[in-house]
Amino acid sequence: MSAPVVELQGVTRTFDATPPVEALKATNLVINDGDYLSIVGPSGSGKSTMLNVLGLLDSPTDGTYLLDGTDISRLGERQLAGLRATKIGFVFQSFHLLAHRSATENVMLAELYSGRDRGGRRPRAIAALEKVGLGHRLDAFPPTMSGGERQRVAIARALTAEPSLLLADEPTGNLDTVTSEAILELFDDLHAAGLTVAVITHDTDVAQRAERTINIRDGIVTETARAAS
Amino acid sequence: MTTPELEPLPVLPDANNPHPVAASSHLGIVDLLSESVTALTSRPARTLLTALGTILGVAALVATLGLAKTAGNQIVGRFDELAATEVSIAPESRGFGSGNRTISVIPWDAGDRLQRLNGVVAAGTKSDVDVGSDLARAVPVIDPLGQTEFQIPVIGVSDGTFAAVRSTLETGRFFDVGHNERADNVVVLGPGAATRLGVSRVDNTPAIFIGERAFAVIGILKDTAREPDLLSAIIIPDQTARAFFGLSAPGEVHVDVEVGAADLIGTQAAIALSPNSPDQLRVSVPRSPKAVQEDVEGDVNALFLLLGGISLLVGAIGIANVTLVSVLERTGEIGLRRALGATPGQIARQFLTESASLGALSGLIGTSLGVLATVVISATRDWTPVLDPWLPFVAPVLGALIGLIAGVYPSLKAARMEPVQALRSF
């Protein structure tokens, strides 16, 4: 068994305020390769902080975070950014697509900072779009696409860098039930293909799809033990 | 495009890591430029409006410099041969009003002295002659019905003066050295004086009287290029004026010089006429065309460069303003880019490149407009457009520089955005 994708050891994130806010308290968490887990909790529980720490958008104030066995506290800004580019795929609630660029160009954006060869970008972006079932919408612009299509573009963008960890923040929050179901099925398929997926949500239906569910409440993480589905 | 890494990165050979590339974030120059151009071209109308101030500023600057150069050149082109070859010398005077008196004396042989200088075409003296209350008349007849006596100015000149002021004759001849040296009673009439005195031909040697003194008319002027007061005067040899009317010294010296010799003759003439105190003579030389050209360029430039500079400043503020707005609008995009692996530095670089590209584009358009304006204005005036060759190359660089400076603050603001908060603002 290789090293876990994510290993949090006593990770704490405290925000400077009076009094200081401990958004994440001494968290221990292991995400293994191929895991599909959901992170649930009410608003203000520390979910977002968890997402930011996992996604290297924020650094823990205390504790150790090993990503693919690499201790991120030893890394500088450029290397953290480089890890975001190559190891983490983000999917956001509001898709975050650039309106003035086609689906393919939006996906190609994922490799802008990764240092991979320019020539292969378009074929890889097209391959990623075909993987999420958007082979017929390669040149469409986001404003002309449905919510589901847009989220698929966003997922394709997250996949194109072939990340170690796919981090999804309320991926179905802006979608209707039918579309949500389709997106969740896409996650199931990606998971089945071996991708490590972490979905942050407050929707229990979404959380139920995952193999593991992590609860956060007031910055304290607990795992609900449950059989893999 | 590889940049040296700041610190070695532990890259573990790992099955989870399908492409163990050096994980440092990386943004190549081609990508940087293409991202900036894409951002600018995705909203062409806004880009153009943003650029407008700088476009106008650069256009104003280029057109100003171009037109100043063109106009200055035009002055050289319209080089006035007549004015550029005229030198005149008069005694310096001191005091004011009636107390005004000359402090030096021009010698009688001034014309001869100057004639010897290399570059002098012709030279001669010219003096107003005080004839007191003497009137001029053509015939000694007293006609009770009509006016036969006139007060006509009398001017004494030396023989070289007619050539020096470029006079032409209607009829007859100019007087010569002999007439002058002998102080002969001869006159040449200006056409105005000739008409008043009723003299129209000289082949019968008509006589006129100044006071009770008779003079033979030997010529009538047709025109004179300089000193038009000769046209209405009775012109006598200055030795004659000295002998009969008590002229004490020539009033002024007129010199016709070769093209380009004016400055030289100006300095030499004073020494030739008054070797002991050349500074007591007032020498008038034409202003050199080069100095005039520089003056015109200077006048035009100072004003319009100021205007151009102001509009550039306004343009820079415009770019800064819109870039700032654009940074705020694109907060979500900035967050996304950070999530996709951009460092703050790369974000700053992207916005800087955008504003610099916009500035360069503005500079390019502005330069084109400025050159066009210069050409069009020159065409309507039948001028030859003249432009410094470096101008079309420097102006776009100036635009880029303005864009770069204008982009500093917005770029820093973009770089400082927290990705977490930026992502939420979409």
Side-chain angles (χ1 to χ4, degrees):
Chain A
M1 187 68 191
S2 58
V5 176
V6 169
E7 192 170 354
L8 300 184
Q9 297 165 354
V11 164
T12 303
R13 180 66 175 97
T14 310
F15 290 101
D16 286 334
T18 39
V21 179
E22 274 200 325
L24 218 50
K25 290 174 189 163
T27 304
N28 294 310
L29 177 68
V30 172
I31 304 176
N32 285 309
D33 187 23
D35 271 3
Y36 183 6
L37 88 166
S38 58
I39 300 170
V40 295
S43 9
S45 59
K47 267 189 328 213
S48 296
T49 308
M50 185 63 150
L51 167 83
N52 293 328
V53 168
L54 285 178
L56 305 176
L57 292 171
D58 200 356
S59 296
T61 40
D62 202 8
T64 311
Y65 174 11
L66 301 176
L67 178 65
D68 271 349
T70 307
D71 183 355
I72 63 121
S73 66
R74 289 168 33 208
L75 302 181
E77 179 95 65
R78 280 194 69 191
Q79 279 130 356
L80 281 178
L83 281 182
R84 287 202 298 274
T86 53
K87 300 220 174 200
I88 313 253
F90 285 95
V91 174
F92 307 99
Q93 177 175 1
S94 45
F95 324 133
H96 284 290
L97 300 178
L98 301 187
H100 296 284
R101 302 199 192 188
S102 71
T104 311
E105 286 165 343
N106 263 294
V107 176
M108 284 166 68
L109 205 60
E111 291 194 356
L112 190 62
Y113 305 95
S114 69
R116 287 179 82 179
D117 61 298
R118 278 177 61 84
R121 263 184 218 170
R122 187 168 288 272
R124 284 194 291 271
I126 292 172
L129 280 166
E130 280 166 351
K131 206 166 172 181
V132 297
L134 278 181
H136 60 295
R137 295 288 267 160
L138 295 178
D139 296 321
F141 284 82
T144 69
M145 304 174 105
S146 71
E149 283 176 325
R150 287 191 223 181
Q151 194 57 299
R152 281 168 193 272
V153 174
I155 293 169
R157 182 180 60 201
L159 292 179
T160 187
E162 296 171 45
S164 307
L165 173 64
L166 183 73
L167 270 179
D169 182 17
E170 301 281 6
T172 58
N174 282 4
L175 302 175
D176 61 50
T177 5
V178 180
T179 321
S180 296
E181 180 57 29
I183 293 292
L184 291 175
E185 271 168 23
L186 180 58
F187 280 141
D188 289 345
D189 293 346
L190 292 172
H191 164 60
L195 188 69
T196 312
V197 182
V199 178
I200 287 153
T201 183
H202 64 267
D203 185 336
T204 42
D205 287 346
V206 175
Q208 291 301 320
R209 308 283 289 232
E211 292 169 342
R212 298 168 61 191
T213 300
I214 308 290
N215 284 292
I216 305 187
R217 197 167 285 271
D218 298 330
I220 297 165
V221 172
T222 50
E223 178 155 6
T224 317
R226 133 172 100 83
S229 56
Chain B
M1 297 301 297
T2 50
T3 29
E5 287 174 44
L6 297 174
E7 49 186 292
L9 179 77
V11 177
L12 305 173
D14 191 337
N16 287 332
N17 187 3
H19 23 263
V21 286
S24 276
S25 175
H26 187 276
L27 180 62
I29 188 81
V30 179
D31 285 331
L32 180 65
L33 287 177
S34 101
E35 282 299 303
S36 303
V37 169
T38 308
L40 290 177
T41 51
S42 64
R43 307 184 69 173
R46 163 188 281 221
T47 301
L48 206 65
L49 283 175
T50 310
L52 206 56
T54 313
I55 289 177
L56 290 179
V58 172
L61 279 182
V62 170
T64 301
L65 291 173
L67 283 176
K69 194 89 185 161
T70 300
N73 195 62
Q74 197 56 28
I75 285 159
V76 180
R78 259 198 218 153
F79 170 74
D80 187 343
E81 194 265 341
L82 187 65
T85 55
E86 178 181 17
V87 173
S88 63
I89 302 115
E92 193 75 67
S93 51
R94 294 265 166 84
F96 300 96
S98 55
N100 182 8
R101 60 193 179 86
T102 59
I103 58 168
S104 62
V105 166
I106 289 176
W108 290 105
D109 62 345
D112 288 340
R113 289 196 199 185
L114 296 182
Q115 193 71 59
R116 291 195 288 269
L117 297 177
N118 190 15
V120 171
V121 175
T125 56
K126 171 173 172 276
S127 329
D128 292 328
V129 180
D130 181 11
V131 294
S133 57
D134 287 352
L135 298 177
R137 66 182 191 276
V139 283
V141 180
I142 290 143
D143 179 356
L145 298 175
Q147 189 188 9
T148 54
E149 291 187 318
F150 306 93
Q151 191 160 28
I152 297 176
V154 176
I155 293 175
V157 302
S158 66
D159 45 278
T161 309
F162 292 111
V165 300
R166 299 197 188 177
S167 297
T168 51
L169 279 170
E170 178 71 44
T171 180
R173 55 173 296 199
F174 295 123
F175 43 77
D176 56 25
V177 188
H179 290 122
N180 202 12
E181 281 180 352
R182 292 188 301 271
D184 284 346
N185 286 9
V186 292
V187 298
V188 172
L189 296 178
T195 309
R196 289 174 81 182
L197 292 169
V199 180
S200 59
R201 45 192 291 199
V202 295
D203 52 352
N204 56 355
T205 329
I208 61 156
F209 293 83
I210 301 172
E212 295 308 316
R213 244 174 227 106
F215 292 85
V217 179
I218 61 168
I220 297 174
L221 288 185
K222 183 183 191 184
D223 200 2
T224 181
R226 299 171 185 146
E227 301 303 310
D229 56 340
L230 291 177
L231 295 176
S232 56
I234 297 168
I235 305 155
I236 62 174
D238 57 2
Q239 291 306 317
T240 310
R242 183 186 183 186
F244 298 143
F245 300 110
L247 181 65
S248 57
E252 54 197 44
V253 186
H254 290 273
V255 191
D256 189 33
V257 301
E258 280 168 14
V259 173
D263 281 331
L264 178 71
I265 297 301
T267 48
Q268 290 181 348
I271 298 167
L273 297 182
S274 179
N276 292 330
S277 49
D279 55 332
Q280 291 184 350
L281 292 176
R282 195 178 62 230
V283 180
S284 313
V285 293
R287 301 200 49 212
S288 82
K290 195 164 178 54
V292 175
Q293 176 187 7
E294 278 164 7
D295 262 22
V296 169
E297 279 187 46
D299 289 351
V300 176
N301 283 2
L303 181 66
F304 284 90
L305 288 185
L306 188 70
L307 286 177
I310 291 172
S311 49
L312 272 188
L313 185 68
V314 173
I317 294 170
I319 290 185
N321 193 22
V322 176
T323 308
L324 190 60
V325 170
S326 151
V327 163
L328 297 178
E329 276 180 357
R330 287 156 70 185
T331 303
E333 180 190 329
I334 293 166
L336 171 74
R337 286 176 186 275
R338 294 292 300 277
L340 292 177
T343 61
Q346 286 161 346
I347 297 288
R349 233 174 298 157
Q350 189 194 330
F351 280 95
L352 264 185
T353 311
E354 270 181 38
S355 65
S357 309
L358 186 61
L361 184 75
S362 314
L364 215 57
I365 298 175
T367 307
S368 312
L369 289 180
V371 170
L372 193 70
T374 307
V375 170
V376 166
I377 292 172
S378 300
T380 57
R381 295 255 190 281
D382 279 335
W383 291 350
T384 311
V386 182
L387 211 61
D388 282 316
W390 51 263
L391 197 58
F393 299 97
V394 170
V397 176
L398 180 71
L401 209 63
I402 285 169
L404 197 66
I405 294 167
V408 168
Y409 174 68
S411 303
L412 289 180
K413 199 168 172 67
R416 286 204 198 103
M417 278 182 181
E418 280 298 320
V420 183
Q421 276 144 27
L423 279 165
R424 291 216 183 103
S425 75
F426 222 90

